[in-house]
Amino acid sequence: MEVVVELVDVYKHYLMGGQTVRALDGVSLQFRRGDYYAVMGPSGSGKSTLLNLLGCLDRPTQGQYLLGGTDVSTLDDDQLSGVRSSRLGFVFQSFNLIPQLTVVENIEIPLIYQGVSPRQARARAHEMAAMVGLSERLEHRPTQLSGGQQQRVAIARALTNDPLVILADEPTGNLDSVTQHEIMDMFDVMSRDGKTIILVTHEDDVAHRARHVLHLADGKIVRIETSEDRRRRMGLAGGTA
Amino acid sequence: MIHLRFARAFQMGIKSLRLHPLRSMLTALSVVCGVGAVIAMLAIGEGASFRAQEQFRSLGSNTIVIESIKRAVTKESQETNPIDRYGLTRLDLVQIHETIPDVELSVPVRDFRKDVWHKSRRYTDGKIVGTEYFFADVQNYKLARGRWICATDGVRGRLNQVVVLGSDVCAKLFPLEDPLGQTVSIGTKTFTVVGVMANQGGVVERKKLNLADLSKNVYMPLSTLSAYFGNIEVVRGSGTETRELVELKQIIARVADLEQVLPRAGAITHLLEKNHPEGDFRVVVPLKEIRQAQESARNFTLLLFSIGAVSLLVGGIGIMNIMLATVTERTREIGIRRALGARKIHIVMQFLIETLVLTTLGGLIGVLFGVCSPWWVPVIFRGQIAIVRVMTIVPSFLISAGVGILFGLYPAWRAANMDPIEALRHEWRAIEPGVVAWASCPWFSVTGETPVLRIGE
């Protein structure tokens, strides 16, 4: 499978209170199409920084970031916006839907910023809403939806531009366990359909769904284990699907 | 490249504004007041200017009035010369007419005080004015009834004994009966009334310029006046009696080109100074007064406009304040939009359009308010009139839009330049997560084929 995400010796340093914080300290990694990675690590390990970099919300201090073969670490602000709207899908912990917009309007936002005509964007948003089972609630506002429904809207929004990579930041952090499973099932389906998923979490059973778990500590990759390694390590071989 | 279509952005703007109807309304109100004030103030200024011009215009804006004035009489000169001779002459009239370019008409006027009688009624305030046909024309003086003195009235050999009465004279001498065809007596002579003049405005203005009130005059052809009353006027004071010989009391010149009035007045003054080194004349130019009135009206308008502009500025500052608060309040939304691919320009446009919607809506209402000022201004400010010029409406509206852009730009710029990561971290009201029964995950293939909904799989 082709490599869609490649970080080459990436550093991200912040200046905080006169001290340099090494949020990422020489990270190199490759994600291929269809990869499903969970990123774990204690707070301050650089998870969020990594996700922001991968999400083109931030630029590395040093190193290269190749997304779909193009070096995005040198792009300017507008070009990064373009990359975000065309190649990336975001799913956040707190859903991050815009409250004054309806479900369908929230879903079509990335398309609108891509420059898709309003009519096409609307049609695509309708398809997406139908796919996440919310075609009955197109004109509802986020506040009129349950948490699980809101996250489904967010997932539809993340998929509406057919992105290369889906970036999820604790997507189930605000949900109860039943809804959590439903949302994670959706991630499984996305992965099966060939989407590259990078999911930050601190919950073991969420990370457990991913095929690889990437452990970060102090801005460095400590180890990458496959789900088999993990099952073996935790003595759960042959466990849940 | 701005992909976001304007109509759509406009729609979104209205949507966001409707989230806070009261806030939006109050913000728009500041623009309503500002734009309304600008238009109304300009209209009031315009009204004042119009009134001032109208009043002086009745004097005739393209006329120059030259009057004889009495110079100081010394005792010696009075003794050596029993008749005081001064003022304008027919020679002056001819010279003005022949040598000053652009003077299309020049009308001689001679007058003196004498009582006018009709039966037992006496009119003492008036003057007997001898002049020529064009007098009324030049003075922009209208007839109420009958006719004006005509060219043949004054022809030597058939001196028609006719007079035309000023409105005040007519009202005093003929309070009830029809004056036309009736006779009046001046001195020992009897004259037939052939016409009555209309009331002419600008009495106050004439007084300001030290010109006589036309309504108190009795008009007759100049040749008739000279033939019947001679050239010498006897002025009786307390214990004194002077005899004056004034050939012409006034010359009224009309200049064809309005632009040439002031220079020609200068030329006339120059000419007369040569003929009358003793300075027994004065030149009055109503246009000068009109210009002065216009000037002061313009200053007045400018002052009022400044007041309106300040209120518009205050409105603009209010808008900026509100928009800054809105931007802060919607930091999270900005972060989300940026994360989902909005460029800075998209964010700038979004907030700018919101401000524009506010200010243009406010501006429209303000324009309506201002356009109605001719109705409400006289009610609030007694005696003041307002005239709305079409050419003030469009600029005022554009200014309101300009205020929107000017004062919306900074908040929009602030919004666009937020760090998306920081903005995403910004707290907003927590949305309670809920539970929903959900059978299964409906999903689709991402290969670009027709998406298939698979519920209950």
Side-chain angles (χ1 to χ4, degrees):
Chain A
M1 283 293 219
E2 62 180 302
V3 175
V4 284
V5 171
E6 184 171 11
L7 293 186
V8 185
D9 203 21
V10 165
Y11 291 82
K12 182 69 193 181
H13 295 172
Y14 296 107
L15 212 60
M16 202 181 271
Q19 272 196 316
T20 309
V21 179
R22 294 162 178 269
L24 286 181
D25 207 8
V27 172
S28 295
L29 50 78
Q30 280 191 345
F31 298 142
R32 290 169 190 283
R33 183 180 287 281
D35 273 355
Y36 186 178
Y37 272 83
V39 178
M40 295 192 81
S43 62
S45 60
K47 294 186 307 257
S48 301
T49 308
L50 180 64
L51 204 67
N52 288 339
L53 275 181
L54 291 173
C56 290
L57 290 166
D58 210 349
R59 267 171 288 213
T61 315
Q62 195 189 317
Q64 264 195 323
Y65 172 21
L66 300 161
L67 179 65
T70 40
D71 187 0
V72 294
S73 42
T74 55
L75 298 182
D76 67 19
D77 195 90
D78 277 356
Q79 290 168 321
L80 285 181
S81 294
V83 170
R84 288 198 295 268
S85 70
S86 61
R87 301 192 149 187
L88 299 172
F90 288 90
V91 181
F92 301 93
Q93 177 177 3
S94 47
F95 322 131
N96 277 350
L97 302 177
I98 295 175
Q100 68 264 34
L101 301 185
T102 61
V103 166
V104 70
E105 285 167 340
N106 263 293
I107 294 174
E108 69 187 7
I109 293 174
L111 297 176
I112 297 295
Y113 288 132
Q114 248 184 67
V116 175
S117 78
R119 186 177 303 197
Q120 282 177 316
R122 185 49 60 101
R124 176 80 174 154
H126 277 273
E127 290 168 15
M128 290 298 129
M131 277 157 216
V132 297
L134 287 173
S135 24
E136 303 298 311
R137 294 173 185 269
L138 294 175
E139 299 305 320
H140 283 58
R141 304 217 180 259
T143 43
Q144 297 168 307
L145 301 177
S146 69
Q149 285 173 325
Q150 289 189 47
Q151 197 60 302
R152 278 148 69 194
V153 175
I155 288 171
R157 185 178 67 184
L159 286 164
T160 184
N161 56 353
D162 195 12
L164 276 179
V165 183
I166 305 249
L167 298 161
D169 187 5
E170 308 251 15
T172 57
N174 280 357
L175 301 174
D176 63 279
S177 58
V178 177
T179 322
Q180 177 178 324
H181 279 294
E182 290 165 359
I183 296 297
M184 289 321 295
D185 286 344
M186 291 178 82
F187 275 94
D188 288 347
V189 177
M190 282 191 266
S191 173
R192 222 179 293 140
D193 286 341
K195 290 283 170 209
T196 308
I197 299 168
I198 301 161
L199 183 151
V200 167
T201 185
H202 58 262
E203 290 172 73
D204 273 327
D205 48 344
V206 171
H208 181 69
R209 299 273 195 127
R211 277 197 288 282
H212 297 89
V213 180
L214 190 151
H215 289 273
L216 277 178
D218 300 325
K220 288 190 168 77
I221 299 174
V222 181
R223 64 174 189 281
I224 299 175
E225 52 182 7
T226 61
S227 44
E228 285 78 30
D229 294 342
R230 199 173 153 76
R231 280 193 204 110
R232 216 169 295 131
R233 181 165 63 80
M234 299 183 91
L236 287 167
T240 50
Chain B
M1 232 188 344
I2 303 160
H3 295 307
L4 213 60
R5 300 210 178 153
F6 189 81
R8 197 184 160 78
F10 190 81
Q11 217 179 344
M12 295 268 285
I14 289 186
K15 206 166 195 171
S16 298
L17 294 173
R18 277 177 56 186
L19 281 182
H20 304 285
L22 183 67
R23 181 202 289 184
S24 303
M25 223 175 63
L26 289 176
T27 315
L29 195 63
S30 61
V31 183
V32 172
C33 292
V35 173
V38 167
I39 295 180
M41 292 297 176
L42 284 176
I44 291 174
E46 195 64 51
S49 159
F50 173 79
R51 185 165 277 186
Q53 287 180 42
E54 193 62 9
Q55 286 163 345
F56 281 103
R57 189 157 290 141
S58 64
L59 301 179
S61 53
N62 54 352
T63 59
I64 299 168
V65 181
I66 307 123
E67 277 199 322
S68 301
I69 46 174
K70 203 174 151 84
R71 46 187 174 152
V73 186
T74 55
K75 219 163 196 161
E76 289 165 51
S77 69
Q78 206 176 358
E79 277 164 10
T80 54
N81 194 358
I83 297 172
D84 184 18
R85 191 187 173 120
Y86 68 91
L88 302 165
T89 61
R90 288 208 165 259
L91 183 69
D92 295 327
L93 178 73
V94 172
Q95 280 188 349
I96 287 170
H97 196 79
E98 313 243 299
T99 62
I100 308 291
D102 296 321
V103 173
E104 53 176 7
L105 285 173
S106 46
V107 182
V109 178
R110 209 163 85 73
D111 60 11
F112 56 86
R113 289 197 171 278
K114 216 163 181 91
D115 293 352
V116 185
W117 291 82
H118 172 68
K119 292 180 182 160
S120 61
R121 289 197 199 93
R122 184 163 76 141
Y123 190 79
T124 52
D125 294 344
K127 270 185 175 171
I128 316 302
V129 176
T131 185
E132 287 177 356
Y133 173 71
F134 285 110
F135 177 85
D137 205 15
V138 166
Q139 294 276 51
N140 204 11
Y141 197 19
K142 299 281 182 309
L143 265 170
R145 308 192 51 205
R147 66 169 179 89
W148 177 242
I149 53 173
C150 70
T152 52
D153 284 335
V155 174
R156 215 167 266 283
R158 46 170 301 209
L159 297 170
N160 284 353
Q161 286 178 261
V162 295
V163 290
V164 177
L165 304 182
S167 54
D168 190 55
V169 185
C170 176
K172 296 278 160 56
L173 292 184
F174 301 96
L176 299 170
E177 59 266 62
D178 180 6
L180 294 188
Q182 303 265 17
T183 57
V184 292
S185 314
I186 301 167
T188 55
K189 308 288 187 301
T190 307
F191 296 86
T192 311
V193 177
V194 293
V196 178
M197 300 311 289
N199 247 324
Q200 200 193 21
V203 176
V204 180
E205 286 67 33
R206 288 190 74 86
K207 210 167 246 172
K208 248 185 229 166
L209 298 182
N210 222 351
L211 294 172
D213 181 357
L214 294 181
S215 68
K216 293 182 174 173
N217 290 346
V218 174
Y219 299 95
M220 64 176 70
L222 182 57
S223 50
T224 312
L225 184 95
S226 302
Y228 288 116
F229 301 101
N231 286 334
I232 296 167
E233 187 183 358
V234 180
V235 181
R236 291 194 177 86
S238 52
T240 61
E241 187 182 287
T242 51
R243 282 157 195 274
E244 289 179 359
L245 176 62
V246 183
E247 238 177 87
L248 295 176
K249 272 284 174 67
Q250 248 185 12
I251 297 170
I252 303 167
R254 189 162 83 186
V255 180
D257 184 1
L258 200 62
E259 285 309 305
Q260 295 300 329
V261 171
L262 293 178
R264 296 307 172 232
I268 289 172
T269 311
H270 192 69
L271 170 76
L272 293 180
E273 269 166 358
K274 279 194 179 142
N275 294 352
H276 302 268
E278 61 278 26
D280 51 353
F281 70 95
R282 67 180 186 120
V283 178
V284 180
V285 190
L287 183 69
K288 224 186 213 162
E289 311 305 319
I290 294 174
R291 290 273 157 87
Q292 248 166 37
Q294 275 175 331
E295 181 69 19
S296 60
R298 205 171 299 141
N299 289 339
F300 184 54
T301 307
L302 199 66
L303 177 79
L304 291 176
F305 174 74
S306 316
I307 294 170
V310 165
S311 65
L312 195 58
L313 185 77
V314 171
I317 293 169
I319 285 172
M320 181 140 123
N321 206 0
I322 291 290
M323 287 317 287
L324 281 173
T326 305
V327 165
T328 308
E329 192 184 80
R330 287 161 63 184
T331 301
R332 186 69 168 260
E333 178 191 329
I334 295 161
I336 296 168
R337 288 184 182 275
R338 293 281 281 137
L340 297 180
R343 293 161 191 226
K344 283 183 179 176
I345 187 76
H346 289 138
I347 303 293
V348 166
M349 290 305 287
Q350 182 189 342
F351 283 94
L352 207 52
I353 284 170
E354 260 178 52
T355 320
L356 264 178
V357 167
L358 268 182
T359 52
T360 47
L361 282 182
L364 269 179
I365 301 170
V367 164
L368 281 180
F369 187 63
V371 166
C372 294
S373 58
W375 287 277
W376 59 259
V377 164
V379 178
I380 299 175
F381 310 100
R382 267 172 173 275
Q384 191 63 261
I385 57 167
I387 296 167
V388 177
R389 292 221 179 262
V390 179
M391 60 180 214
T392 63
I393 296 172
V394 176
S396 302
F397 180 70
L398 291 181
I399 287 173
S400 75
V403 164
I405 292 175
L406 188 72
F407 291 95
L409 210 52
Y410 176 65
W413 180 84
R414 275 244 312 228
N417 280 286
M418 281 178 181
D419 177 13
I421 299 171
E422 286 296 320
L424 275 171
R425 256 182 234 147
H426 195 266
E427 274 307 307
W428 68 12
R429 48 188 176 277
I431 299 160
E432 280 297 306
V435 188
V436 65
W438 199 38
S440 173
C441 169
W443 209 245
F444 68 101
S445 73
V446 284
T447 51
E449 298 161 21
T450 319
V452 183
L453 179 63
R454 289 178 277 169
I455 288 181
E457 204 171 67

